[in-house]
Amino acid sequence: MTKTILLVFGTRPEAIKMFPVIHALKADPRFRVVTCVSAQHRGMLDQVLEIAGIVPEHDLDLMRPDQTLDGLTAALLTGLGGVMDAEKPDWVVVQGDTATAMAGALAAYYRKVAVAHVEAGLRSHNIYHPWPEEVNRKIIGTIAALHFAPTTTSAEALIAENVPAAAIHVTGNTVIDALQWVSARTAADPALASGLAEIEARFAGKRIIGVTSHRRENFGGGLEAIAEAIRQIAAREDVALIFPVHPNPNVRKVMDAALAGLPNVAMIEPLDYPHFARLLSLCEIMLTDSGGVQEEAPALGKPVLVMRETTERPEGIAAGTAKLVGTQTARIVTEIFTLLDDKAAYSAMARAQSFRGWPCCPSYRGALRACRVN
Ligand code: UD1
Ligand code: UDP
């Protein structure tokens, strides 16, 4: 009998990591696939839906300017619960650790609907770094009946929390499937990623550093220190920084105040996924506090300096492609300058591409077949 699978997501990174799963499930006639977006993000979510060709059956349109965690979570619970009551899914699938994913799992639990968790088992073991994601994913982990762990490390973290091994599937990270899919699309149609041409021409001959930053735990002093680091790095004439700025007003106001008008900093709107993949290929170094970028940059052999105190993604660090540099201005600047000026240090990070324990294979499709077992 056909099973109804309800996939719930709401932000840019969830959409990127869910679309390969949605494509795979839709190709399988055993499933009736229903997608519900909370639209916790709006413009950044829509960019992904468009490139991935996904038209959600339900769109809660919940984003509000500078939304609070409690206001958002309350709206998510009632909105997602209503969709579940209408669709009566056999399984609810959530991804990652956002408010949407946590509320989706909780609303399903309140209805005793089984939950499958994509990107399960990431743990920093610090509930304030990242905040509130560490607690969100632990809540989901408590509820889920199926855990799709991207790596053996994440599977082990779940086993340490007494999740039965039979409920865990090590699947690889679906961001790698997304990146490969979008790279193939762009190879077939280069115009999909040609929108950076003007910036590329303006910065010809410069060494490109890609930047992203948006973490809630860095709001205020942390972001100001990051902005100051970018300003000091930009004082070098040989570099250019391309910085698609997250639309969160708490990020924008700090970055605008510190960086507007600097000739070799391009602060631009969020890039759609083909253009961000282009930025990843153009840059010499990524400087970021993003989760997804910590996974993508190592896959492409690009050194990534992670502006966080801790990470739930130790694989890139272990492989030597990623390095935690915190959020102190002096440390960030020193680490960037080392990579720019020390060829051996750079090639040690750029060469390391070991994905041992980080299989990038689309076996989640096989794992999702377990959804038939109710
Ligand atoms: C959210 C997730 C975070 C994830 C990040 C990815 C939570 C609590 N946080 O953080 O885990 O890493 O997304 O980017 O779930 N905004 C827009 N347009 C958009 C998106 C956001 O204007 O397309 C602005 C709005 O003012 C919105 C604010 O950004 O209120 C914050 O969005 P929100 O989803 O609450 O948090 P993020 O910081 O994006
Ligand atoms: N990304 C994008 N455009 C941008 C910046 C990032 O498409 O301008 C993609 C990036 O490739 C990665 C994801 O967004 O797959 C990461 O999202 P974000 O940093 O917002 O969230 P996090 O991963 O930290 O939860």
Side-chain angles (χ1 to χ4, degrees), residues 3 5 7 17-18 20-26 28 30-31 33 91-94 115-118 146-148 169 171 174 362-373:
K3 293 283 183 191
I5 315 289
L7 298 108
K17 291 171 173 178
M18 272 297 219
V21 181
I22 295 171
H23 288 173
L25 283 171
K26 284 204 162 171
D28 195 321
R30 291 171 302 168
F31 303 126
V33 180
W91 282 81
V92 167
V93 183
V94 297
V115 171
H117 187 201
V118 177
L146 262 180
H147 307 254
F148 298 131
H169 299 261
T171 59
T174 59
S363 62
Y364 56 83
R365 187 202 282 229
L368 278 172
R369 293 211 171 100
C371 291
R372 286 181 305 153
V373 186

Side-chain angles (χ1 to χ4, degrees), residues 12-13 16 175 212 214-215 244 270-273 276 290-293 296:
R12 168 175 66 192
I16 289 172
V175 83
T212 77
H214 72 82
R215 297 240 60 86
L271 294 168
D272 68 17
Y273 200 39
F276 195 76
S290 156
V293 178
E296 294 160 334

Side-chain angles (χ1 to χ4, degrees), residues 46-261:
D46 293 345
Q47 285 179 321
V48 186
L49 296 177
E50 189 179 342
I51 185 72
I54 290 166
V55 181
E57 281 77 13
H58 300 272
D59 187 333
L60 300 177
D61 199 20
L62 289 183
M63 195 195 85
R64 299 290 175 270
D66 203 8
Q67 58 211 359
T68 59
L69 291 177
D70 42 10
L72 173 62
T73 304
L76 282 163
L77 268 179
T78 42
L80 294 172
V83 171
M84 288 175 201
D85 289 340
E87 292 289 352
K88 307 210 176 330
D90 296 288
W91 282 81
V92 167
V93 183
V94 297
Q95 193 285 331
D97 49 24
T98 66
T100 294
M102 185 274 288
L106 196 53
Y109 169 67
Y110 286 162
R111 286 157 183 79
K112 296 190 177 162
V113 175
V115 171
H117 187 201
V118 177
E119 199 181 59
L122 275 63
R123 296 288 183 272
S124 66
H125 304 291
N126 181 334
I127 63 167
Y128 293 106
H129 288 274
W131 174 75
E133 290 79 5
E134 178 76 357
V135 163
N136 284 346
R137 58 197 173 212
K138 289 182 82 160
I139 292 171
I140 300 167
T142 304
I143 292 170
L146 262 180
H147 307 254
F148 298 131
T151 72
T152 49
T153 308
S154 42
E156 279 161 20
L158 291 167
I159 287 167
E161 292 174 10
N162 297 322
V163 174
I168 305 169
H169 299 261
V170 178
T171 59
N173 196 314
T174 59
V175 83
I176 303 301
D177 301 285
L179 195 56
Q180 288 173 349
W181 185 88
V182 86
S183 302
R185 284 284 313 270
T186 310
D189 182 4
L192 286 175
S194 62
L196 287 175
E198 205 177 298
I199 291 177
E200 289 177 40
R202 176 174 141 208
F203 292 153
K206 303 247 190 213
R207 304 171 69 181
I208 305 291
I209 300 171
V211 184
T212 77
S213 181
H214 72 82
R215 297 240 60 86
R216 270 179 195 262
E217 65 269 20
N218 290 342
F219 286 179
L223 282 183
E224 281 163 21
I226 289 170
E228 175 58 19
I230 294 169
R231 210 185 55 74
Q232 291 184 22
I233 295 161
R236 281 177 66 132
E237 287 191 354
D238 59 336
V239 302
L241 296 106
I242 301 181
F243 184 0
V245 184
H246 193 291
N248 193 316
N250 298 288
V251 178
R252 291 239 155 148
K253 64 173 186 258
V254 173
M255 297 305 165
D256 284 346
L259 304 174

